[in-house]
Amino acid sequence: MIIDTHSHLWLRQDTEWNGLVIKTKDGNGSRSEFLGEERQMLPPFMLDGRNTAEVFLSNMDYAQVGAAVVVQEFIDGIQNDYLKYVQERYPDRFFCYAMVDYLRDGFCQQAIRLMSEDGFRGMAIPGHRLLGRKLTDDEMMEMFCWMEANGKYLSITLADGDEQVGELNEVIMECPELKIAIGHLGMADQPTTPPWENDSWRIQMLLARNENVMIESGGITWLYNPEFYPFPSAVRAIREAADLVGIEKLMWGSDYPRTITAITYRMSYDFIFRSQLLTPKEQAAFLGANANRFYEFKNLPELPYIKNMSE
């Protein structure tokens, strides 16, 4: 059982963040104008700029990934309309989070409508891009309290280190039953100090000692891309996080499709199997069992291994 707890889908990127443009390029849809520079946003064979559920499902089936959690980020633009379709079309394969513009007042009621009327089971917050809005302001807390009362989920990426840890801890104390998944393994790429030697990273990890808080590793191969496959320091970061909070609090995430511009989708998790730092039981928990318990997927498919033509 393998479940991806951090992925992205969109039909086209056409947005901005902090006054900078993010837009699929005409003529080569695999690339985007991104915050002032051109980036290879998708694998080069995805020419139309469409990062669709169907292409992702083909990758998932090939890599034997049973289900995926789709989060949202400001840099991709708000994708609620498309993700509503995806959730309705493939309910057994995808758990899709909604997102609203948290930088504009009045977002709480819009979020409640998305969850109560459009069927979304949770909200995604790119906390590291909130530009000064606090997680504990009145409108945020109103939304969190409603989510807790209605059994919804929160996916959140925090700023590096402990900058927003105090705020999220206040949210947890006020809404202890709210199910929270913290993204990117706490942004575990420290440029000068390994994260396990960084007190602020450890403080963020310790949030998962709260009963309903989990941590997912979305994009960890991107964080350690300079090291490249099989990412030994990424596994070391997972090991250190497990020693802090327990392997049962950690979930694998790929950050698809961004990470597969450099590696294949299967490579975004099979480096775990190539390390001796996690036991087979820990590998199974991290790669799927913990996520299945947290998100309560139903009817996961059986996906047999299909031999490549090169084998």
Side-chain angles (χ1 to χ4, degrees):
M1 181 196 303
I2 301 176
I3 296 172
D4 187 344
T5 61
H6 190 117
S7 65
H8 301 273
L9 294 173
W10 62 77
L11 291 183
R12 186 175 178 86
Q13 288 183 316
D14 188 5
T15 187
E16 67 174 45
W17 178 75
N18 200 19
L20 297 173
V21 170
I22 304 100
K23 185 177 178 64
T24 299
K25 290 188 70 68
D26 294 330
N28 186 346
S30 68
R31 298 179 181 179
S32 291
E33 182 179 350
F34 180 75
L35 307 180
E37 61 181 335
E38 184 174 331
R39 287 289 188 95
Q40 188 71 43
M41 190 64 63
L42 297 171
F45 50 80
M46 294 170 66
L47 295 176
D48 61 2
R50 291 166 57 88
N51 170 33
T52 65
E54 288 74 23
V55 172
F56 191 18
L57 280 169
S58 181
N59 274 284
M60 290 166 62
D61 289 350
Y62 173 77
Q64 299 173 279
V65 174
V69 177
V70 183
V71 302
Q72 296 199 55
E73 234 272 34
F74 286 156
I75 63 172
D76 299 326
I78 293 174
Q79 303 289 332
N80 294 329
D81 289 345
Y82 180 56
L83 294 187
K84 178 184 177 184
Y85 159 80
V86 171
Q87 187 73 85
E88 292 173 348
R89 178 71 177 82
Y90 306 106
D92 295 332
R93 302 298 299 274
F94 291 112
F95 180 114
C96 296
Y97 279 99
M99 187 177 73
V100 293
D101 188 350
Y102 304 104
L103 303 180
R104 296 179 181 272
D105 293 341
F107 65 81
C108 178
Q109 291 307 308
Q110 182 187 0
I112 290 173
R113 284 195 299 272
L114 287 165
M115 290 181 284
S116 61
E117 299 177 13
D118 290 348
F120 286 100
R121 294 175 60 193
M123 300 299 298
I125 298 180
H128 58 311
R129 301 193 194 276
L130 288 182
L131 300 178
R133 180 179 285 277
K134 291 189 175 295
L135 298 173
T136 52
D137 74 14
D138 290 345
E139 194 165 7
M140 281 286 192
M141 293 306 299
E142 180 184 356
M143 182 181 72
F144 294 143
C145 289
W146 186 93
M147 291 168 65
E148 180 194 33
N150 289 273
K152 304 300 182 180
Y153 290 74
L154 170 65
S155 170
I156 186 165
T157 296
L158 298 178
D160 291 8
D162 60 0
E163 180 180 336
Q164 293 175 308
V165 166
E167 294 175 26
L168 187 57
N169 194 57
E170 287 186 44
V171 173
I172 294 167
M173 295 301 102
E174 181 69 22
C175 305
E177 300 302 315
L178 177 62
K179 291 188 174 183
I180 301 173
I182 299 173
H184 294 306
L185 204 75
M187 300 298 282
D189 62 328
Q190 303 297 328
T192 57
T193 306
W196 47 88
E197 297 178 8
N198 187 301
D199 288 341
S200 62
W201 178 79
R202 294 165 64 89
I203 288 170
Q204 185 172 151
M205 292 298 97
L206 290 174
L207 287 170
R209 289 187 176 178
N210 291 284
E211 181 179 0
N212 290 303
V213 179
M214 301 285 284
I215 292 172
E216 44 94 340
S217 71
I220 196 163
T221 61
W222 159 62
L223 296 174
Y224 287 96
N225 185 64
E227 183 179 79
F228 206 65
Y229 188 86
F231 310 107
S233 295
V235 185
R236 174 71 187 277
I238 294 166
R239 174 74 270 164
E240 294 292 336
D243 290 344
L244 281 172
V245 300
I247 193 66
E248 70 279 0
K249 303 294 283 185
L250 306 180
M251 306 181 292
W252 168 68
S254 72
D255 210 7
Y256 175 99
R258 308 189 213 286
T259 47
I260 65 167
T261 58
I263 58 175
T264 68
Y265 186 49
R266 183 184 292 274
M267 288 168 70
S268 68
Y269 73 77
D270 74 357
F271 71 95
I272 296 295
F273 292 125
R274 297 176 182 272
S275 172
Q276 301 300 311
L277 291 182
L278 298 174
T279 68
K281 184 176 181 180
E282 290 174 324
Q283 292 170 359
F286 176 69
L287 290 173
N290 295 342
N292 199 43
R293 182 186 71 250
F294 185 68
Y295 283 110
E296 301 179 323
F297 280 100
K298 309 295 183 185
N299 304 316
L300 291 175
E302 293 186 12
L303 298 170
Y305 179 74
I306 305 298
K307 290 178 66 175
N308 293 314
M309 279 298 294
S310 59
E311 292 181 83

